[in-house]
Amino acid sequence: MVASSAVVMIVRESTSSPCDPLMLKTILFSPVARWLSMSLRRMGVERFFVISESDCMDRSAVCFPLGSEIVSLDDPELEQKLMAFATECDGQVICILDPVWLSTSACEELVNAEFLTPADDPHGVYRVDSVNLADGGLEGMNVGDYYSPLNDPEIQMLPLYTQADFIRARQLGLEDTLCRLMQEGVDIIDPAATYAEAGAELGAGTVLMPGTILRGQVSCGEHCVIGPNSMLTECALGKDCVVNASQVSFTSLPDGAHVGPFESVKPFSPA
């Protein structure tokens, strides 16, 4: 692995705009930042340093795994904290400075490829040597190999600036996730009626029936049947599970569990 750490900027594109940073706008069910986090984590990125607007710290934090360092753009010690983070990194550090959607293949190349294949415009994505980042701080985030594989249809990257960009990213993200799942041995009966985010990790032989929705980090073992008309949210299923016309949220199910039809399974909360 070439890069196991990432720095992500979540800041407003205009200081005069009251709008949220574009990295917190939603693609499918999750913000762009969370989509990137899920995709990069699958490829092996373990450590995140997030630079956020001060009023967006909590919303930025939920996009990344526990233990990620979330630092305010206004923090007077921001540069020192970034340099300390880089000191503890090995190899290269991925720096995402502008709003962007990256495909599974793009994340894999960004994390693992010895040499990147840039196009003409970096669009705010760089891979920087951790030593140079530790020495250069904020000014070192774009001193490295820039990444923009816009000429390769198999390795897609989409800068996000307009509403049309976000609509396109939603389509690309869904197609990218479903294609990955099918390549991993998942049988999707009707891709046009199935929705899944980048965090979906499903075992081979699992069947997704029409009307299935997978939100956030969802995992299941081999040979499960999900659907029809079922929604899984932030949950983990064992192998050989069945979820029929039901919802499973924020919980785990053992091997062989059967849910439904018309049930809702979620963590028990005392009255």
Side-chain angles (χ1 to χ4, degrees):
M1 182 184 301
V2 175
S4 60
S5 305
V7 177
V8 181
M9 296 281 289
I10 303 181
V11 299
R12 292 185 175 90
E13 287 61 44
S14 171
T15 56
S16 63
S17 172
C19 299
D20 286 340
L22 292 178
M23 288 291 283
L24 293 180
K25 285 181 64 95
T26 297
I27 295 178
L28 206 54
F29 307 113
S30 292
V32 177
R34 188 156 193 257
W35 194 280
L36 282 171
S37 168
M38 290 189 290
S39 297
L40 290 171
R41 289 165 66 187
R42 181 183 305 104
M43 297 304 160
V45 174
E46 299 173 345
R47 304 179 69 242
F48 290 89
F49 186 95
V50 181
I51 302 173
S52 170
E53 297 282 2
S54 58
D55 60 335
C56 299
M57 298 277 285
D58 291 342
R59 286 184 293 154
S60 296
V62 299
C63 295
F64 296 88
L66 291 175
S68 299
E69 192 166 358
I70 317 295
V71 182
S72 169
L73 183 64
D74 300 328
D75 190 326
E77 298 182 357
L78 169 59
E79 185 150 42
Q80 289 79 5
K81 292 179 179 179
L82 174 61
M83 295 167 75
F85 171 85
T87 300
E88 298 177 358
C89 295
D90 294 323
Q92 304 287 306
V93 180
I94 298 165
C95 294
I96 299 177
L97 311 185
D98 294 335
V100 65
W101 173 82
L102 295 169
S103 70
T104 297
S105 298
C107 287
E108 183 175 14
E109 185 181 48
L110 194 56
V111 171
N112 293 311
E114 184 176 357
F115 301 103
L116 299 181
T117 55
D120 297 329
D121 192 340
H123 288 295
V125 179
Y126 300 85
R127 203 169 65 185
V128 180
D129 186 273
S130 58
V131 175
N132 293 337
L133 186 61
D135 291 339
L138 295 171
E139 293 185 356
M141 290 193 295
N142 61 355
V143 180
D145 297 329
Y146 65 78
Y147 185 66
S148 183
L150 299 179
N151 296 327
D152 188 336
E154 299 299 323
I155 306 176
Q156 297 178 13
M157 168 176 158
L158 180 65
L160 301 173
Y161 300 112
T162 69
Q163 187 61 38
D165 294 335
F166 280 85
I167 293 172
R168 179 63 176 149
R170 183 179 302 157
Q171 296 168 339
L172 288 173
L174 179 57
E175 293 171 4
D176 184 68
T177 300
L178 296 183
C179 286
R180 172 181 62 82
L181 292 174
M182 288 188 284
Q183 290 171 353
E184 294 171 354
V186 176
D187 186 4
I188 302 176
I189 301 301
D190 185 358
T194 304
Y195 301 86
E197 290 192 270
E201 295 285 352
L202 311 181
T206 288
V207 178
L208 300 184
M209 302 290 285
T212 292
I213 300 173
L214 308 179
R215 302 185 62 170
Q217 299 283 349
V218 172
S219 66
C220 73
E222 299 177 344
H223 304 296
C224 294
V225 178
I226 312 300
N229 302 321
S230 295
M231 182 164 67
L232 276 55
T233 304
E234 300 286 343
C235 59
L237 283 59
K239 62 181 181 180
D240 300 312
C241 292
V242 174
V243 180
N244 176 19
S246 298
Q247 296 186 18
V248 180
S249 308
F250 304 100
T251 191
S252 300
L253 297 179
D255 292 350
H258 282 231
V259 177
F262 315 125
E263 292 187 66
S264 178
V265 179
K266 54 187 177 181
F268 172 76
S269 58

